[in-house]
Amino acid sequence: MADWGQFAKKNLPMLAVLVVIVVAVVFVLADRWRRGAFVFGVATLLAAVLRLTMPSERVGLLAVRSKAFDVGALVAVGGAIVWLAVSIDPLGTD
């Protein structure tokens, strides 16, 4: 049990992002794919903000490469997902 608590404490930023991703999946499964895509993009942007503002030893699994690369890639992907989710014509759907 102590190992789980230590893991959760070290990876709290990743767990926060994971919770937002689960919300996005729930939207998609409820046939609200545009909202789900938007929330997924927001989760990616949240990961970028956490990676930028927290020290590398505190971000846990969000640290993959250098801080600059991680933040740049997350902002590019998250921004593209949010832009696509907002710009696509809904064609009568949400």
Side-chain angles (χ1 to χ4, degrees):
M1 188 69 172
D3 290 335
W4 169 250
Q6 189 175 12
F7 175 81
K9 184 178 178 183
K10 178 166 176 53
N11 293 298
L12 193 58
M14 184 64 191
L15 293 174
V17 172
L18 186 62
V19 166
V20 179
I21 290 172
V22 167
V23 170
V25 169
V26 168
F27 275 126
V28 171
L29 290 175
D31 207 22
R32 301 288 186 226
W33 62 272
R34 288 183 67 222
R35 289 181 190 155
F38 181 82
V39 173
F40 186 77
V42 168
T44 309
L45 293 174
L46 173 64
V49 168
L50 291 172
R51 179 68 172 109
L52 179 65
T53 59
M54 297 184 79
S56 293
E57 53 275 352
R58 287 276 307 155
V59 293
L61 296 172
L62 289 178
V64 177
R65 300 195 184 273
S66 70
K67 184 181 273 195
F69 181 85
D70 288 346
V71 171
L74 288 167
V75 166
V77 171
I81 293 171
V82 167
W83 179 77
L84 284 170
V86 171
S87 66
I88 292 175
D89 185 25
L91 298 173
T93 63
D94 287 331

